[in-house]
Amino acid sequence: MPSTRSRLFSRFSLCAFVTALCVLGALALRTISVHASPPGTWTATGNMTQARYRFSGVLLASGKVLVASSGADLYDPTSGTFTATGSLLLGRTYFHAALLTDGQVLVAGGNIGVNPTAEAELYNPAAGTWSATGSLNLKRENYALAVLPNGDVLIAGGATAERFLGVTKTVEIYNPGTGAFTRANPMNVARQGATATLLPNGKVLVAGGSQFINADALTSAELFDPSTGLWTLTGNMNVRRAQHTATFLSGNDLVLVAGGGDGYQFYTNTAELYNSATGTWSLTGSMSTNRFGHASVQLPDGQVLAAGGQSTENLGCPPCGNLLSSAELYDPLSGTWIPAGNMNSVREYQFAILLPNGKVLEAGGGILTGGATASADLYQP
């Protein structure tokens, strides 16, 4: 029969063992929570005043969101509603909007019907009106855009003829003070459907794109240095990409590129990281599905939300049965993706932006019938 001392020792050992398991369990949970937050939820919010597809917009200094195509709307995160504001002088698609340092918004170029344009205009949030500004030196659409540290706007590449038949490597810079576009040194490679990302060192990374519709996309990437006005080639991506997304990961010097297609076919779920310190690319975890024409936004906790897009090529569109409502989260610490629920509608080429309240607004985009939607969703991390 065990002695009292032996029984006490056994009980002590059992308690110590259980305590150790609890501590290890708590540490494991803590580790998991540090690496990734659980996926959030999607809820519908107010509709835009019109359906939009391949449009653009920006977060204004007021906290409202401007979205624009032929007409323009303001989204109020407080009320969850869109209201019409002044209409553009020239409706357009395949363009970018840029928030200037004085609070105005620049839109330039884009597509009008089947042809690109050189026209540019400014939105004044105080008056809610648009006015003409200097024109681009070259008609272009589907270009890459970045706001430089000095407030100037870099516009690089794009398509210069109907159906993306002419792709350029020319570059222009918009000066908000003079309202004029001036020619800058060209890129090393002509490209449209590329991404432009401002880096902490003030340089701009332009990556991927393609040189002809349904042609092979590019792996090449290059850097623009505003201090010298010169372009230099940097490391090549591991995968050809056009119409992908590029997200700068705050807190380090990495840029996440995800999805896209080899031209406008053969879509991919792969993702990779650009290290601006070394100028090199490395593959990271792949998304659960191929995505092309999707949207990506970094969340306040550092994770990246990727939503919508197309998963496979469908030349018989409409109907486009390959559009996505699904979303997923990338965790920079683990380099992996996890499901993040479904939007209330499929969307491709939608507008997505992080709101001041930490939610993500996803609005408009293409739908299954080949048209566009006016609906919008909010993602709550």
Side-chain angles (χ1 to χ4, degrees), residues 274-349:
Y274 176 76
N275 187 321
S276 61
T278 62
T280 57
W281 295 87
S282 58
L283 288 170
T284 187
S286 293
M287 297 181 289
S288 63
T289 187
N290 299 341
R291 295 185 190 274
F292 174 93
H294 57 293
S296 293
V297 176
Q298 187 177 33
L299 304 178
D301 65 1
Q303 296 186 102
V304 176
L305 176 71
Q310 295 186 48
S311 61
T312 57
E313 175 69 7
N314 186 346
L315 297 179
C317 184
C320 304
N322 55 356
L323 303 190
L324 301 168
S325 63
S326 66
E328 43 196 306
L329 288 172
Y330 176 77
D331 175 22
L333 294 181
S334 65
T336 58
W337 298 82
I338 61 171
N342 292 332
M343 297 180 289
N344 291 283
S345 173
V346 297
R347 305 180 190 279
E348 66 160 344
Y349 295 109

Side-chain angles (χ1 to χ4, degrees), residues 209-231:
S210 63
Q211 296 183 323
F212 190 76
I213 189 168
N214 290 334
D216 287 341
L218 302 164
T219 59
S220 67
E222 46 193 304
L223 293 169
F224 176 74
D225 186 344
S227 64
T228 63
L230 299 177
W231 292 87

Side-chain angles (χ1 to χ4, degrees), residues 171-182:
V171 176
E172 306 187 39
I173 295 179
Y174 177 77
N175 183 325
T178 63
F181 289 89
T182 57

Side-chain angles (χ1 to χ4, degrees), residues 95-171:
F95 68 100
H96 292 290
L99 181 66
L100 305 179
T101 54
D102 64 2
Q104 295 191 96
V105 178
L106 170 73
V107 301
N111 182 287
I112 49 170
V114 295
N115 294 303
T117 180
E119 301 298 316
E121 48 192 297
L122 293 171
Y123 176 75
N124 184 333
T129 57
W130 296 85
S131 60
T133 188
S135 294
L136 291 161
N137 291 281
L138 185 67
K139 296 178 180 180
R140 65 181 81 218
E141 61 180 315
N142 210 22
Y143 50 81
L145 177 148
V147 180
L148 301 176
N150 67 354
D152 290 352
V153 181
L154 175 76
I155 292 179
T160 61
E162 179 184 352
R163 293 292 295 166
F164 313 119
L165 296 180
V167 177
T168 184
K169 61 181 178 180
T170 62
V171 176

Side-chain angles (χ1 to χ4, degrees), residues 181-208:
F181 289 89
T182 57
R183 296 182 184 273
N185 289 314
M187 295 183 289
N188 292 280
V189 179
R191 57 185 87 224
Q192 57 95 18
T195 55
T197 309
L198 180 66
L199 303 177
N201 59 12
K203 295 181 180 181
V204 177
L205 172 71
V206 174

